[in-house]
Amino acid sequence: MNCRQARELIPWQAAGSLPGEERTALAAHLAGCPACRTEFAQAVRLVRELRGAFARLPEPKDEVWIRTLARARGIPLGSLDVGSFLLGLSIGLSVRGGKVPLTGELKIFGHRVPLFEIEGGAR
Amino acid sequence: MADDRELLARVAAHDEAAFRRLYERYATRVFCYALTILRNRHLAEEVVQDTMVAVWEGAATFKGSSRVSTWIFGVARNQAHALLRREARGARTANEPLVLPDPAGQVERAERVRSALERLSPQQREVVFLAFYEGLSYQEIARILGVPEGTVKSRMYHAKRALAEVLA
């Protein structure tokens, strides 16, 4: 392995994702090359600093989940519920992504367990 | 705790509780990834929505040949670029600073790191994010980006050189 090849692999080794065979070859090169060892030390510091920078990125707002779930569920057209809060069955029809799926759910103590989904009415 | 594959299998059966847990695991990560590409918070939040809805609708198509994270970041990248194309047809939203200021000190150094990141091309920045923050290998990143492994290595090589020049 020459220095150019080593320097291509150094960032991946610093990030901890280099596969075994390349990791071994790079270690052998680093053992005999002080310049690439300096490069590796610099890469390790860079990884640490950039991880810190990425960790300071903001988070998405809470309402993004609400909008995501609403889109996943689609627009309800109607549903038929039988049983009670403790044990029940719900069959619903909705519009989602240009389709009109018929879904069935079992409700146990308020928790919904999906039973089936039949896709219908392509756009 | 269910692993990602178990959760995704339950999402494929449209289990909302599993979807919520998968969202909690990935929303912030997808948001940060989208932010490195788009540099706009509002658009990055749209990518989170688009990605997670695509995961909800397409979970059954996951073949299991990669990690779930690799698959989800691939979906996110497609959504981000679809959004970029839509934005290009309309009014382009202004870029925002990529990283929040560091409130805990070492402000000057953090500012230089932020500035160095912003100087990278979007292609270099996303490789740096996926490699250094997500810990993905160059093989996984090549799969997400749909480019040869050599291209990923090359982008990283030049990104590291550019970062080192600014931060030396």
Side-chain angles (χ1 to χ4, degrees):
Chain A
M1 179 178 288
N2 59 35
C3 288
R4 163 78 202 209
Q5 290 167 325
R7 287 175 192 206
E8 212 171 56
L9 299 181
I10 279 172
W12 305 97
Q13 173 63 9
S17 66
L18 199 61
E21 204 170 291
E22 288 180 312
R23 193 167 59 235
T24 306
L26 179 62
H29 178 85
L30 291 180
C33 181
C36 284
R37 280 205 301 277
T38 302
E39 188 84 9
F40 179 65
Q42 186 191 56
V44 169
R45 184 181 181 198
L46 188 63
V47 170
R48 193 176 59 240
E49 288 188 317
L50 288 175
R51 279 183 182 154
F54 286 125
R56 287 195 301 279
L57 286 171
E59 295 189 354
K61 295 190 193 99
D62 291 345
E63 66 206 48
V64 176
W65 161 247
I66 295 165
R67 293 202 297 265
T68 302
L69 185 61
R71 280 180 55 188
R73 281 177 173 164
I75 302 164
L77 293 177
S79 66
L80 176 67
D81 294 88
V82 291
S84 66
F85 176 80
L86 296 178
L87 183 63
L89 180 69
S90 175
I91 296 174
L93 200 61
S94 60
V95 177
R96 192 173 65 221
K99 296 181 177 170
V100 189
L102 180 70
T103 55
E105 292 177 326
L106 195 61
K107 293 190 291 185
I108 307 169
F109 295 105
H111 181 68
R112 292 169 173 266
V113 180
L115 284 180
F116 64 84
E117 179 169 314
I118 302 166
E119 294 231 328
R123 42 179 120 220
Chain B
M1 186 191 289
D3 69 19
D4 283 357
R5 282 173 188 259
E6 290 167 11
L7 276 184
L8 196 62
R10 286 167 53 196
V11 169
H14 282 183
D15 178 336
E16 283 187 8
F19 186 47
R20 174 76 202 231
R21 289 179 65 184
L22 197 69
Y23 178 91
E24 285 168 355
R25 280 186 198 179
Y26 280 96
T28 299
R29 295 164 67 185
V30 166
F31 177 73
C32 292
Y33 177 43
L35 211 48
T36 64
I37 298 172
L38 303 166
R39 292 182 58 194
N40 179 283
R41 184 185 177 122
H42 173 70
L43 296 181
E45 286 180 340
E46 274 190 53
V47 171
V48 172
Q49 280 187 62
D50 293 346
T51 300
M52 296 313 292
V53 170
V55 166
W56 172 260
E57 289 171 352
T61 66
F62 175 68
K63 301 291 183 222
S65 59
S66 68
R67 285 200 281 176
V68 170
S69 60
T70 308
W71 183 68
I72 291 179
F73 281 119
V75 173
R77 187 172 197 274
N78 288 339
Q79 300 297 337
H81 283 271
L83 191 56
L84 272 180
R85 286 193 292 275
R86 291 201 299 273
E87 282 291 304
R89 288 197 290 270
R92 185 73 180 89
T93 313
N95 286 341
E96 296 169 356
L98 186 63
V99 180
L100 292 176
D102 179 8
Q106 296 185 321
V107 174
E108 190 186 336
R109 180 73 186 176
E111 176 59 26
R112 285 176 69 192
V113 172
R114 184 189 65 77
S115 166
L117 264 177
E118 290 186 352
R119 286 188 194 194
L120 298 180
S121 69
Q123 289 85 359
Q124 290 174 338
R125 205 162 44 232
E126 69 177 327
V127 168
V128 167
F129 174 81
L130 291 170
F132 290 177
Y133 194 65
E134 285 296 331
L136 300 186
S137 67
Y138 62 78
Q139 293 97 330
E140 289 172 311
I141 296 173
R143 177 175 253 186
I144 290 169
L145 271 50
V147 298
E149 291 174 3
T151 303
V152 175
K153 283 183 182 173
S154 172
R155 285 180 190 172
M156 172 60 91
Y157 177 79
H158 292 291
K160 189 200 163 280
R161 281 188 63 173
L163 289 166
E165 273 176 28
V166 177
L167 296 172

